[in-house]
Amino acid sequence: MTQVPTTISTTAQHLIPQPASVSASGVTESFGFSHSDKKLHSSAVIVDKPNDDGFNWRKYGQKHVKGSDFSRSYYKCTHPNCPVKKKLERSLEGHVTAIIYKGEHNHQSTLPLLFGN
DNA sequence: AGCCTTTGACCAGCG
DNA sequence: TCGCTGGTCAAAGGC
């Protein structure tokens, strides 16, 4: 197989609809995440589903790091041309303590595009 | 039928 | 060189 040249898409930060703080490759976001005391009568979106950015993610792994304080979930974009990966760090209580985005989307979000125009 | 989720094992890099 | 951690893939099951 002919190996690809190099740097397929490293500097391509221009079509990111994310209003969050996206600096460049290897973005690292960390926030407290204020959970509301809501009692889900069954199973809504408290089990895994990360914060939907408008993209679809498929979990491909989970490991506990930091000795035994946090668990890390690995998500990958389900798009055909999205080499983007997301790491979800959660505490034992289930609180998201950090979200690490890696790479950038080569497509628009699945959202109907309502903000921006 | 298709897609997603979950767990274990394996591999690579670093000290 | 060995051990440890982090990261990724694969198979099976469920919806």
Side-chain angles (χ1 to χ4, degrees):
Chain A
M1 281 289 216
T2 35
Q3 65 292 305
V4 289
T6 33
T7 44
I8 304 166
S9 52
T10 323
T11 42
Q13 56 222 307
H14 27 84
L15 33 86
I16 302 179
Q18 279 207 103
S21 47
V22 182
S23 300
S25 355
V27 189
T28 311
E29 291 181 59
S30 40
F31 30 88
F33 209 88
S34 309
H35 259 279
S36 300
D37 299 294
K38 277 185 190 172
K39 263 64 173 281
L40 289 314
H41 37 88
S42 276
S43 49
V45 56
I46 189 178
V47 71
D48 250 310
K49 264 311 157 60
N51 54 296
D52 219 70
D53 319 56
F55 300 100
N56 300 316
W57 305 90
R58 184 172 95 260
K59 184 194 273 189
Y60 68 91
Q62 180 178 66
K63 291 266 290 227
H64 88 84
V65 294
K66 239 98 166 181
S68 280
D69 284 280
F70 301 95
S71 307
R72 215 178 233 165
S73 305
Y74 301 87
Y75 293 89
K76 233 196 267 197
C77 196
T78 58
H79 280 261
N81 266 339
C82 223
V84 183
K85 289 179 200 156
K86 182 157 71 169
K87 280 165 234 171
L88 210 320
E89 201 172 287
R90 305 169 67 152
S91 63
L92 297 173
E93 299 225 352
H95 300 161
V96 180
T97 57
I99 300 177
I100 293 89
Y101 285 83
K102 192 180 184 180
E104 300 176 37
H105 298 281
N106 291 305
H107 59 91
Q108 300 282 134
S109 60
T110 59
L111 281 172
L113 242 302
L114 17 86
F115 67 85
N117 224 59

